[in-house]
Every structure is written in structure tokens, then in C-alpha cells.
Amino acid sequence: PDRWIVSGLEVLIDRDTRIIGVPVVGATVNGTMRAPGNYTLIAVYVEIEPPTAAAPTPTATPTRAPTRAPATATSSLSPTDTSTAPVPGRGGAPAIYDEPQEPSKSSPTATATSTPTRTPTVTRTLAPTATATEQPKPPREQVTGRIIGWVERIEGGWWTIEGKTIECDGNTQFSGDPGVGALVEAVVEITPEGRYIGLSIRRIGQPNPTPSPVELTDVVDAISGEWWTIGGVTVKVTGETVLEDNPGLGDMVSVKAERRAGGEIVALRIRALRAIEVFFQGVIESMAGDTWVISGTPVLIDGATEIRGAPEVGATVQVKALQQPDGSLVARIVAVIEAPPASITPAAAPTETAAPEPATDTPEPATDTPEPATATPEPETATPEPETVTPEAETATPTLES
């Protein structure tokens, strides 16, 4: 029901095919076929002409053969009419007629011989049989097509144009000196097997220059069909473009493309660059506007950053941030865990003053041995002083935290 063989060609019938008449084997088909290019023919509109009745085959008409009457010893043979004589009977003996028939000029006659042996000859002539002559089939209509595109490859007689392989031979006409990289118009014959036979190839454009590579990293600003705007640059995304990590509107992406003839930028690969969450701890070294430097690392502070505690230069903080594809950090949480050490600097001053005293007393033991034993308690006396300062720092720490 959905496949017909018409003059050796396979034709597909679908629900959109318009059929006029009743299809039967032997009927004549007239109509329009569509060749989608995948080695098939699809009927669009067909008219069915029922097959004509075949002419009856003539039957063979037997010709009366010559007969003769039975001979006796004294009888002689005489010619008999054979124009209307029937075929001899089943017994093998010729039929005998009572009434003599008028001799026919074209009928053979039997002749008697002097010998007693009779040799009757019976001839059966059949009329010529009519032979039905097969009507010649009309020549198959040539299916042609046109391909416009760039010549991608030439290997002997095989040309690749826009991904289609075309067979060219001595009958193919070339004009305009086409070659690899040229924009051409090819007229081809499409065979029932789906092959393309080149009839003519004409150059209609200059060779395509070698594409130049283009790379960029930026945000996807807009998407309109196959055209993407990335960082203000319009990029064409085709079916051959590789999309990694599902890039979309507003994403930071890395693009590898090539600039082709006419300045068009065609994307080869677009990869989405996702932010990475990082944690670290450090000391605030500077706070200039929305950029803080924490242990040598610049961190961006924006409206979404959560601040815990009272951050200031010298304070120790813990940071949760998002590392952008370009390596920059945007803080999400900044929590103060220790106040700056500048608040306990006066209490620590005596420790720094007492430290040089042992160094000053060190040469004296080299001159007098007993004196170093006397000088030794002096550092011991200085040692309790930092111990006295230590409780003060411990007392101050809870105050900063509270």
C-alpha cells in the first residue's frame, strides 16, 4: 500500500499523496514525484489510467489435407478437393466424402504410383499465430537538481560540494574555473539510487579565504536564534557548535570561534565558566572601598556579602567567597574571629624593654666568674613581669569578643 514499483523505480506513498483513480498492477501512472535527497522518491500527485484490455490471441485454423479413396486392384487414384477437408480422423485413416468437391488450385493432389504400395501424404498447415507486440516504454524522465555551496574537496572525478559527493566525467561542463574553496552552482542528475551525476559546475564566487581563529571570555548578553551576543560580540551558533556545561543567558563563557568570509564569526565551542566556592582565613591588611585585602588576597565586597562582627585592619577573619572564572574572589561571608593585636601593644612594651638587659649583662661573666651567678637572677626577676602582663591580655580578649 505504501510502496509502488513504477517502471523499475520504487515510489513511496504517504498520507499527503493525492491519488486520482484506483491503483492496480499494470495501470499507467502519471504524476509528480518529490526527491528529498535521501535516495527515495515520494509521490505528491498521481493519476491512474486503468490498463487496456488485451487483444484476443488468434487460434490456429487447420488446413484441409489431401485425401484419397481406398484403392482396389483395378481402381485408379483421382484428385480430390482439399480446400475444405477436415483433419484426418483419430484412427489415422483419411476421412471419405460422398460428394466430390471442386478442386482448389492451391490444394496439393495425391498421385498414384505404379507400385501397389500407397503412400498417402497428409499435410496440416496452421495459420500464422498473432504475436502481441510489447509497446515500448516511454523514456524515464530525467530528475535534476541544483546545489549551491563551497567546493570542499576534489578527488579525481569526485567533487564534494556542501557535504554532497558529485560524480563528474567527460560530459560534465565546467565554467568560471571552479576549484577547492570556490562558491559554485552545480546542476546534477539524481539517479534512482540517489547518486549525483554532475551535468555542469559553474563558479559564482571567489575562493573562501582561510578562517582566522577568534577566542574570547565574557558574559552572554543576549540570545536570538542562532545569533548570540557575548561581551558585545555577535557570534553565530550552528548545529556543529559544541556547547559544554549548558551555557545560557547571563553565564560567563569561554568561546573558541573562527572569523570567516564576510567577517562572520562562527562559534566552534562555547563552554560555561561556573564560579567555585572557596573558604580561607586571614588578617585584614587594607579596606579600600569595596575591595579588601586579606592576607595578600584582594576580595570584592558587594551588597550580597554578609558581615559578621566589626571588621577592621588587623583583625583576623574567616571568609567564604566565590572564585570567578578570571580568578577574582567575591565575598559571600566575612566573620571576625579575633580583634586586631594593636589593642594590647602598650602592655607588651615592658617585654621588649626587659629583653636587652640579659644581653648587656652577658659580657660581665667573661671577666669575673662569680658575677654571672649574681647576674642570673636579674633575668629571672624580669621574667615574672611578662607573666604579670599575660593575665591582662587574657582579660582583654573576652572584652573584644563580647
Side-chain angles (χ1 to χ4, degrees):
D2 59 349
R3 292 177 183 267
W4 299 0
I5 304 299
V6 181
S7 296
L9 301 178
E10 185 179 51
V11 179
L12 304 182
I13 307 298
D14 59 15
R15 61 182 182 181
D16 296 328
T17 304
R18 183 181 178 189
I19 302 175
I20 305 299
V22 179
V24 294
V25 175
T28 302
V29 177
N30 295 318
T32 304
M33 309 297 163
R34 177 166 56 90
N38 57 353
Y39 311 108
T40 60
L41 293 177
I42 301 176
V44 178
Y45 171 83
V46 292
E47 293 183 358
I48 309 298
E49 296 181 7
T52 57
T57 304
T59 57
T61 305
T63 302
R64 178 175 300 169
T67 60
R68 59 182 301 174
T72 60
T74 58
S75 63
S76 62
L77 296 176
S78 61
T80 57
D81 184 15
T82 60
S83 61
T84 58
V87 179
R90 296 181 181 178
I96 302 174
Y97 294 87
D98 295 336
E99 296 181 1
Q101 304 295 326
E102 182 180 359
S104 174
K105 294 181 180 180
S106 60
S107 302
T109 58
T111 1
T113 61
S114 58
T115 60
T117 305
R118 297 188 301 269
T119 310
T121 303
V122 179
T123 306
R124 185 178 182 180
T125 305
L126 299 178
T129 303
T131 303
T133 304
E134 182 180 359
Q135 296 297 328
K137 296 181 181 179
R140 184 177 67 85
E141 182 181 358
Q142 186 182 47
V143 181
T144 60
R146 185 178 65 169
I147 301 174
I148 297 179
W150 301 97
V151 179
E152 300 171 1
R153 184 183 304 172
I154 300 177
E155 295 181 358
W158 303 87
W159 289 51
T160 302
I161 303 175
E162 286 298 310
K164 298 178 176 61
T165 302
I166 301 173
E167 302 177 28
C168 300
D169 53 21
N171 297 323
T172 306
Q173 299 179 359
F174 299 93
S175 60
D177 191 20
V180 175
L183 181 62
V184 299
E185 177 188 31
V187 178
V188 299
E189 177 188 357
I190 305 175
T191 67
E193 299 81 13
R195 293 161 47 215
Y196 295 99
I197 308 298
L199 302 178
S200 66
I201 297 179
R202 179 175 63 92
R203 190 180 72 175
I204 59 177
Q206 297 298 325
N208 186 19
T210 303
S212 58
V214 176
E215 294 188 9
L216 67 147
T217 300
D218 217 312
V219 178
V220 180
D221 301 322
I223 297 178
S224 179
E226 61 181 359
W227 299 100
W228 291 31
T229 302
I230 302 174
V233 179
T234 301
V235 178
K236 184 177 182 180
V237 178
T238 67
E240 298 179 356
T241 303
V242 179
L243 302 178
E244 297 182 9
D245 296 333
N246 192 26
L249 187 64
D251 289 339
M252 177 73 72
V253 295
S254 172
V255 180
K256 286 189 176 181
E258 59 184 19
R259 191 185 304 275
R260 297 182 179 176
E264 182 179 75
I265 298 178
V266 179
L268 304 178
R269 181 175 65 88
I270 299 179
R271 180 171 61 91
L273 302 177
R274 307 297 183 187
I276 302 173
E277 198 172 63
V278 296
F279 298 86
F280 68 97
Q281 178 176 318
V283 177
I284 300 177
E285 298 176 355
S286 67
M287 302 170 65
D290 57 357
T291 302
W292 296 4
V293 178
I294 303 174
S295 294
T297 302
V299 178
L300 179 64
I301 308 297
D302 58 12
T305 304
E306 179 183 352
I307 304 297
R308 299 177 183 177
E312 57 180 313
V313 175
T316 301
V317 295
Q318 286 184 344
V319 181
K320 173 183 176 182
L322 295 179
Q323 185 177 16
Q324 302 301 313
D326 59 356
S328 61
L329 297 178
V330 179
R332 295 283 74 116
I333 300 176
V334 177
V336 178
I337 62 172
E338 186 177 346
S343 58
I344 61 174
T345 301
T351 305
E352 297 177 358
T353 305
E357 292 180 0
T360 304
D361 297 336
T362 304
E364 294 179 1
T367 306
D368 190 357
T369 305
E371 288 182 3
T374 308
T376 303
E378 292 180 4
E380 293 176 358
T381 306
T383 303
E385 293 181 1
E387 293 177 358
T388 307
V389 175
T390 303
E392 294 178 3
E394 293 176 354
T395 306
T397 302
T399 305
L400 294 174
E401 291 181 351
S402 60

